[in-house]
Amino acid sequence: MTASRGRRNTPGPDRAARTGAAALRLALVAAFGFAALSGAEPAHAAPTPNVDSGFGAGGVVTVPGRSVDTTVDASGRIRLLTTDDQGVTRLTTLTPDGMKEHEAVVPFAGLLATGSDGSAAVVATAPTGIRVHRVGGATTTALDGRPIEAVRAVTVRRNGTLIVQTPHVLVAIKPDGSLDPSWSGDGVVETTEDIRAITATGDHLLTATSTSIVRYSPGGAPETVRFTLPAGFDPYGLSPAFVSGRSANRMAVVKLLPTGAPDPTYGMKGLAVGAAHDCAPAARRAFPTSAGATAIGECEAGLVHVQQFTAAGTDAGELVVDQAGTQRALGDSGGGPQPGDRTIVTFASEGSTTSVVRLLPRTVVPAYVPITPGRLLAPTRVGPGKEVDVIVRGTNASAVAIDVAVARGSAPGGVLAYPKGTKPPAVATNLHSTGQSVTQRIVVPFPKNGRITLRNASSGPANLAANLVGWYRAGAYLPVTPTRVLAARGLKAHQAITFAVAGRAGVPATARTVLVNLSVNGVTSAGSLKLSPASRSVLASHGPGRPGNATTRVTLGTGGRMTVVNNAPTSANVTVDVVGYLKS
C-alpha cells in the first residue's frame, strides 16, 4: 500500500535557478579597495555521505526525463514516472538493487499508486473526469463529464480500490475503472475542507488538513473524533505512521497512533523537529525505521534533505543530498524505505534527467566536508593594515576552511581573517617574518553576507592569496570568538605544558573536540609542536628564527585538557587560540 503522492502546492523554481542553488557555490571574486578580481567559477558540489556504492552503477541510477512521481513498494522495487523534453512519459521499474527491470511508455503523466499486490496505476485529470491507466492494462475515465480541477493525491486501500483526492472531493475507483458504491453509496465523498494529503490504513482512510487529522470509515463516513495537529505545523504529506511537513522553518514530522491521533509520547506532544537551516526545508514524505524515522524533503531553492529522528522524536542527524557520482541534485525530491532500513532518494539532475541513490541504514554525516580547492584570491599585494575581501557562497555551513598564503612580506606580522562587518579577532594567524612564505588553513565562521575579510596585520605590504578547501556543516561545528587559551613564553626544549580548554572561551565543559590555531616563534632552531593525547602529528613546523603555524582539530583528554610539547632543541614562545568546537 502506498501513502498519498501529492503535487507541489506551489510551482517550483525554474531549472536554471535550481541548478544555481543546488550545491555549494563559490563566487570566486575578491575585492581590493574598489577593484574586483574576475575569473569566477563554481566549486564542485559536496559528495553525499552514506551512498551505497552497491546500488546501480557506483551508487546512482539515472534515467531520462524530469521526475513526475516515485514509489517504492514493500519489496524495495522502485518505480519512476518521468516526462522528457518531447513530452513522452515513461514508467521505469528498477529492482531493489538499482537494475533496470522494465521500461514502458504510458499515455499520460500523473500520480503513481502501487498496490500491495504489486499492481501500479497512473492517475490524472482528464478534460472532464479522472483518468486512470492501469499499468499493463486498460485506461479508463471516472466521473466523465464532471470538471475536475486537479488530482492532488492518490492512495490504494487494502481491497485494491483507489482513493483519489481532488479539491473538496474524495473519489473511490475500483480496479475496473468504475466508481466503488461501497464508498458513500456512489463512490464520491464531498467535503468543504481543504485536504492536504491522504493515506489508506487498511480499508480506512486518513486525511490531513492544515490543522487536523480525520479518519474515514471503509464506507466513506468521517469519524466524529477529529485530532488536532500541533500549532505551527504545516503538513505536506501523510502515511499511516507520520504526517510530514515543516515547523519553525525546519523539516518536521508528527507521529500518529493507529487511531490517527498524534502520539503524545513522541517528541513534543507528537511533533519532532529537524535541524535548523537558512532555507526552510519541508518534509514531503516520512516513514518509520528500526531506529525511529526518516523524512525526505527539500528547500524551495531545490536542495534535497534527508532527516533522521530517534524513536523518541529527537534529531538524529541530517544530510543534504548534493551529489551522487557525477549527478548533482536539483530538487524534486522523492523516494521511500527499503528493507533493512535502507533509504531510496530520487532527485532531478542535470540534462533533464532523474537520478536515484540508495543510502545506507545509518546516516553518518561528517562534520567537515573537504572540496576540490577553489581559488578565492589570486596573489594580491596588500598594504600594511589594509584589507581584501573574498566572497564565499554556500548552504548548510557554519564555517569554511580556507588556505591563506602570505609571501614577500616586507615586515614581520600576521593575518586577521573574519566575516566582513564583524569585530576583527584579537589574535592573528599566519605569523611570518620578513620575506617568509607561510600557508595556513584557517577556519572562519560562515558569513551571512558571503564576505570574508583578510587583513594584513603587519607594518609592511605582503602578497595574500586564498583557496577554499572545505566547510563545516551547520549544527556540527560551532564557532566561538577566537580566544587565546595558552601564551607560554620561553617553553623549554622538549618541555610539555597541559592546560584546560573545555569550559573556557565559549567552549562548553562537555565539549570533547575543539579547533585551535597554534603558533610558535622566538626559537633559534628548527622544530615543531606536538599535541596529546589526541594527536601525534608534527604541527607548526618552523625554521630557525621563523614562526610556525597550524590550525588543527583536537580531541581533549581528561577534564577537557590538552597538552602541547615543544619539539625544538631550544626554547620557544607558544600560543594556542581556540576558534570553535564540535557538537558532542
Side-chain angles (χ1 to χ4, degrees):
M1 234 174 313
T2 60
S4 64
R5 295 294 192 271
R7 295 188 186 278
R8 307 291 186 259
N9 293 329
T10 57
D14 60 51
R15 185 164 296 273
R18 291 201 307 268
T19 302
L24 185 68
R25 291 289 190 259
L26 308 180
L28 300 179
V29 177
F32 179 49
F34 294 98
L37 177 68
S38 61
E41 61 181 70
H44 293 284
T48 301
N50 271 58
V51 171
D52 183 354
S53 61
F55 178 82
V60 63
V61 176
T62 299
V63 300
R66 297 178 298 278
S67 175
V68 180
D69 202 7
T70 303
T71 63
V72 183
D73 67 20
S75 71
R77 182 179 286 104
I78 305 145
R79 288 184 172 92
L80 303 166
L81 191 66
T82 59
T83 300
D84 64 21
D85 291 338
Q86 286 71 47
V88 177
T89 300
R90 292 179 176 85
L91 181 62
T92 303
T93 303
L94 304 178
T95 68
D97 288 330
M99 299 296 105
K100 185 179 290 187
E101 184 177 279
H102 184 69
E103 180 182 278
V105 174
V106 295
F108 54 85
L111 298 182
L112 278 173
T114 303
S116 58
D117 60 355
S119 62
V122 181
V123 183
T125 56
T128 60
I130 299 171
R131 288 191 295 177
V132 178
H133 173 69
R134 298 281 177 173
V135 177
T139 299
T140 58
T141 302
L143 294 182
D144 196 11
R146 177 170 177 168
I148 298 295
E149 181 183 337
V151 170
R152 289 185 172 175
V154 60
T155 189
V156 186
R157 293 198 295 174
R158 181 167 49 197
N159 63 5
T161 298
L162 296 175
I163 302 294
V164 181
Q165 175 204 345
T166 74
H168 309 301
V169 178
L170 297 169
V171 184
I173 304 174
K174 295 195 296 184
D176 64 4
S178 63
L179 295 177
D180 184 353
S182 70
W183 178 257
S184 192
D186 60 358
V188 178
V189 170
E190 306 275 356
T191 175
T192 58
E193 295 188 296
D194 182 17
I195 296 175
R196 298 284 190 88
I198 63 174
T199 190
T201 58
D203 288 324
H204 287 78
L205 181 75
L206 289 182
T207 67
T209 71
S210 60
T211 59
S212 61
I213 298 292
V214 177
R215 192 169 80 155
Y216 285 73
S217 71
E223 296 182 350
T224 56
V225 179
R226 177 184 296 267
F227 302 107
T228 302
L229 290 170
F233 177 73
D234 187 18
Y236 280 73
L238 184 61
S239 71
F242 292 98
V243 192
S244 52
R246 178 164 55 200
S247 180
N249 289 330
R250 304 182 186 193
M251 291 179 72
V253 299
V254 176
K255 186 178 181 182
L256 301 178
L257 297 172
T259 60
D263 183 349
T265 67
Y266 184 78
M268 299 173 291
K269 298 182 179 179
L271 175 67
V273 179
H277 289 278
D278 58 358
C279 67
R284 304 288 181 179
R285 63 204 69 205
F287 43 87
T289 65
S290 63
T294 294
I296 303 172
E298 63 194 65
C299 291
E300 292 178 358
L303 291 175
V304 177
H305 297 254
V306 180
Q307 171 72 54
Q308 290 188 331
F309 298 99
T310 67
T314 59
D315 180 2
E318 184 258 16
L319 63 82
V320 177
V321 178
D322 297 319
Q323 180 168 324
T326 61
Q327 298 298 328
R328 292 183 179 179
L330 306 179
D332 288 346
S333 65
Q338 279 194 329
D341 280 348
R342 296 173 295 184
T343 299
I344 294 296
V345 180
T346 65
F347 53 85
S349 45
E350 294 172 335
S352 295
T353 58
T354 298
S355 293
V356 190
V357 297
R358 183 167 69 191
L359 302 183
L360 295 170
R362 179 165 176 78
T363 301
V364 180
V365 182
Y368 177 69
V369 180
I371 64 172
T372 302
R375 175 57 60 87
L376 291 173
L377 178 67
T380 302
R381 195 70 172 169
V382 181
K386 299 297 183 180
E387 301 172 349
V388 57
D389 289 346
V390 297
I391 301 176
V392 181
R393 301 294 187 198
T395 58
N396 197 29
S398 59
V400 293
I402 302 173
D403 281 350
V404 176
V406 181
R408 296 177 59 192
S410 60
V415 174
L416 297 174
Y418 53 97
K420 186 175 180 63
T422 65
K423 185 179 179 180
V427 294
T429 59
N430 292 70
L431 299 182
H432 58 273
S433 57
T434 302
Q436 183 183 7
S437 295
V438 171
T439 298
Q440 183 177 352
R441 183 157 298 177
I442 302 174
V443 177
V444 184
F446 188 77
K448 291 183 178 180
N449 60 9
R451 292 182 175 270
I452 292 174
T453 296
L454 304 177
R455 178 183 295 180
N456 177 11
S458 69
S459 58
N463 287 356
L464 300 184
N467 287 337
L468 182 68
V469 295
W471 53 287
Y472 283 87
R473 293 187 181 271
Y477 171 75
L478 295 92
V480 299
T481 301
T483 304
R484 186 145 293 172
V485 290
L486 176 68
R489 295 188 62 82
L491 186 64
K492 294 181 179 179
H494 307 297
Q495 183 177 354
I497 185 168
T498 300
F499 55 97
V501 179
R504 301 173 58 191
V507 177
T510 56
R512 294 288 298 143
T513 305
V514 296
L515 260 72
V516 295
N517 291 334
L518 308 171
S519 67
V520 55
N521 60 27
V523 63
T524 58
S525 58
S528 62
L529 300 179
K530 186 173 75 172
L531 304 184
S532 65
S535 173
R536 304 199 179 274
S537 302
V538 172
L539 301 167
S541 297
H542 56 84
R546 296 198 172 236
N549 305 271
T551 297
T552 189
R553 188 163 65 185
V554 182
T555 299
L556 301 175
T558 304
R561 301 164 73 83
M562 63 179 284
T563 299
V564 176
V565 180
N566 174 17
N567 273 345
T570 55
S571 63
N573 301 326
V574 177
T575 62
V576 178
D577 306 318
V578 63
V579 297
Y581 63 96
L582 298 185
K583 186 177 180 180
S584 298

